[in-house]
Amino acid sequence: MKRGLQGNEQEDGGGTSGGCQKTLKRSRKQRREKDLEDEEVRWECLPQEILLHVFQYLPLLDRAFASQVCRGWNEAFHMPELWRCFEFELNQPASSYLKATHPDLIKQIIKRHSDHLQYVSFKVDSSRESAEAACDILSQLVNCSLKTLGLISTARPSFMEMPKSHFISALTVVFVNSKSLSSLKIDDTPVDDPSLKVLVANNSDTLKLLKMSSCPHVSPAGILCVADQCHGLRELALNYHLLSDELLIALSSEKHVHLEHLRIDVVSENPGQQFHTIKKSSWDAMKRHSPKFNLVMYFYLYEDEFGPFFRDEIPVTHLYFGRSVSKDVLGRVGLNCPRLVELVVCANGLRPLDEELIRIAQRCTQLSAIGLGECEVSCSAFVEFVKMCGDRLTQLSIMEEVLVPDHRYGLDDIHWE
């Protein structure tokens, strides 16, 4: 009787077990709905520390959209931590296809976040209007203490076209109010010696990086003042006309930290330009003081202007020739650049560089990267060069037209070798 009753209950679904199952399903559904509601509450009330972490990964436009979700997210949008680093992009729509920072956003930053800014850069196009707009913003940053400042021209002339007094006035505001400036990139600007003195007077203890290539109003005495006072300077980039024996000696003094990176741009403004010579003893002092420093040199000279260079040993590590360079100069490179790590030759001519490459492989025992543009090298010499460099050669960039087949190797053969 019991067995039959149980069977009937299971058949018609009217037993207690079926009711329990429906109850369980309802309770699970209710729990899921409650969990979803709880999740919505937790998402809406996320701690600002979590929101800050999320917002840091979002582009500015996405952060702006997110700030419209609720009051809490809007408050997170204005947290000082999110405004320490900012790049102003200033372009004229009529002459540039690059995006620009909206004027309303610039006003909001100056009004609400200027005292939060620490790492600031300006990317401007070639127009004078954009450069002046950058200086207008700089002159309003009176309440902030910047740690890094970069003025980047995507195309010349930009800052060089604006009135020098306007630029210097804006830059001085930053130098005076920023007492802990560690990095300054002001290539292609009308900065001058007096403004550098203001920089040194207020930031000599903190300045570690200075890039100021193509700054025609700075004299060797002006950059020497920086080296004499800023003993923590580790990276320096400038044009060759600012380089002097006195500067190298100042960078090699006992008070000065070890220099890590020195970049020199050797640029000819007009054919036949004369260049001064740096003494070997000055380079030797630099090597003794900072034995591991990188000396990067970019040459944009005409062939008859290389007279003063590579006559004596020079501690260059990275060497780039942007214009045609003669066999004679490359031969001197092989003799007098024992620390060379990277060599790039844009163009040479129609005379093969076989001997010069072999000499560089023999004498430059740290060479690990080479690039050859419009040159000529026999296949045999090229294979020999690669074999001599061995495993240390990690980067090789060469146009196939550079290689000239000879009696030992054709183009297909050297690929196998």
Side-chain angles (χ1 to χ4, degrees):
M1 290 292 294
K2 289 181 179 179
R3 192 178 299 117
L5 182 61
Q6 289 174 355
N8 292 334
E9 287 176 351
Q10 290 175 356
E11 287 177 3
D12 60 18
T16 56
S17 61
C20 289
Q21 288 177 358
K22 290 181 179 178
T23 303
L24 284 172
K25 288 180 181 179
R26 283 196 300 270
S27 62
R28 286 172 183 168
K29 182 178 179 181
Q30 291 169 353
R31 280 201 303 271
R32 281 199 300 269
E33 291 175 351
K34 188 176 185 304
D35 288 343
L36 287 173
E37 291 176 1
D38 291 343
E39 286 178 10
E40 288 178 5
V41 172
R42 288 197 298 270
W43 183 248
E44 185 177 313
C45 301
L46 274 177
Q48 286 208 333
E49 295 80 7
I50 304 299
L51 278 176
L52 172 63
H53 188 72
V54 173
F55 275 32
Q56 285 174 334
Y57 287 94
L58 296 178
L60 178 61
L61 188 60
D62 291 341
R63 292 209 309 259
F65 286 140
S67 70
Q68 301 174 24
V69 170
C70 62
R71 182 179 298 175
W73 285 25
N74 186 265
E75 292 174 356
F77 177 74
H78 292 288
M79 283 190 289
E81 292 85 351
L82 293 175
W83 298 98
R84 289 175 180 169
C85 178
F86 194 83
E87 180 177 74
F88 294 92
E89 297 183 84
L90 305 171
N91 305 292
Q92 300 304 308
S95 59
S96 176
Y97 64 90
L98 299 173
K99 63 179 181 179
T101 306
H102 197 279
D104 291 342
L105 177 59
I106 294 175
K107 292 178 182 178
Q108 187 180 44
I109 291 173
I110 293 173
K111 182 179 179 180
R112 299 190 60 171
H113 302 293
S114 62
D115 54 339
H116 303 147
L117 295 173
Q118 294 182 0
Y119 310 94
V120 174
S121 61
F122 292 82
K123 185 181 290 185
V124 302
D125 61 10
S126 61
S127 68
R128 172 176 169 173
E129 292 82 1
S130 297
E132 290 182 340
C135 290
D136 289 340
I137 296 172
L138 276 177
S139 62
Q140 297 179 67
L141 302 182
V142 294
N143 295 320
C144 67
S145 182
L146 298 185
K147 293 185 178 180
T148 69
L149 173 63
L151 303 180
I152 305 165
S153 300
T154 57
R156 295 182 180 182
S158 192
F159 291 102
M160 296 303 299
E161 283 292 298
M162 64 179 298
K164 178 185 171 186
S165 58
H166 185 191
F167 177 83
I168 296 300
S169 175
L171 200 61
T172 301
V173 169
V174 175
F175 289 169
V176 170
N177 290 284
S178 298
K179 304 297 184 183
S180 57
L181 197 62
S182 64
S183 173
L184 180 62
K185 301 177 182 180
I186 46 175
D187 296 331
D188 299 297
T189 63
V191 63
D192 59 7
D193 291 358
S195 56
L196 289 181
K197 289 183 179 180
V198 177
L199 167 69
V200 169
N202 292 276
N203 300 274
S204 60
D205 294 335
T206 58
L207 191 65
K208 295 180 180 179
L209 182 150
L210 178 60
K211 292 185 65 178
M212 45 179 299
S213 296
S214 301
C215 296
H217 300 295
V218 175
S219 71
I223 192 64
L224 181 59
C225 172
V226 176
D228 279 336
Q229 301 297 321
C230 300
H231 297 145
L233 196 64
R234 296 181 181 275
E235 297 186 41
L236 180 62
L238 66 162
N239 277 65
Y240 185 79
H241 79 273
L242 295 179
L243 186 67
S244 63
D245 295 298
E246 293 78 10
L247 177 62
L248 292 178
I249 297 302
L251 293 172
S252 306
S253 69
E254 293 183 0
K255 296 179 181 179
H256 207 286
V257 299
H258 294 307
L259 197 69
E260 296 175 358
H261 193 92
L262 176 61
R263 169 175 168 162
I264 308 296
D265 290 351
V266 191
V267 182
S268 174
E269 301 297 338
N270 46 68
Q273 184 174 334
Q274 299 296 315
F275 292 88
H276 63 283
T277 302
I278 300 296
K279 297 177 182 178
K280 181 179 181 297
S281 58
S282 302
W283 287 122
D284 289 342
M286 192 76 235
K287 282 194 301 180
R288 287 192 299 270
H289 180 266
S290 303
K292 296 182 179 181
F293 88 107
N294 288 320
L295 174 58
V296 182
M297 299 189 75
Y298 285 80
F299 282 86
Y300 299 93
L301 302 183
Y302 299 96
E303 287 193 13
D304 59 348
E305 296 173 335
F306 278 95
F309 300 101
F310 308 111
R311 297 291 181 182
D312 294 309
E313 187 174 301
I314 180 173
V316 61
T317 54
H318 299 73
L319 186 55
Y320 306 94
F321 293 104
R323 291 178 182 164
S324 180
V325 59
S326 68
K327 282 171 62 70
D328 178 58
V329 172
L330 289 175
R332 301 203 302 260
V333 167
L335 289 173
N336 295 312
C337 302
R339 297 178 75 237
L340 194 62
V341 173
E342 181 176 11
L343 173 65
V344 175
V345 180
C346 179
N348 168 253
L350 300 178
R351 297 171 60 193
L353 298 177
D354 296 4
E355 295 179 4
E356 290 72 23
L357 273 186
I358 297 301
R359 182 181 296 168
I360 288 171
Q362 290 173 336
R363 301 290 294 269
C364 305
T365 56
Q366 301 179 56
L367 187 72
S368 62
I370 187 167
L372 299 177
E374 297 177 9
C375 312
E376 282 196 2
V377 180
S378 72
C379 290
S380 296
F382 180 65
V383 171
E384 183 66 18
F385 169 81
V386 173
K387 287 181 178 179
M388 292 177 69
C389 290
D391 292 340
R392 74 172 190 266
L393 193 63
T394 58
Q395 296 183 46
L396 177 63
S397 176
I398 181 168
M399 296 170 61
E400 196 169 73
E401 293 83 357
V402 168
L403 302 174
V404 180
D406 56 19
H407 65 285
R408 291 185 59 191
Y409 296 104
L411 292 179
D412 293 334
D413 300 324
I414 66 165
H415 287 301
W416 177 258
E417 286 288 336

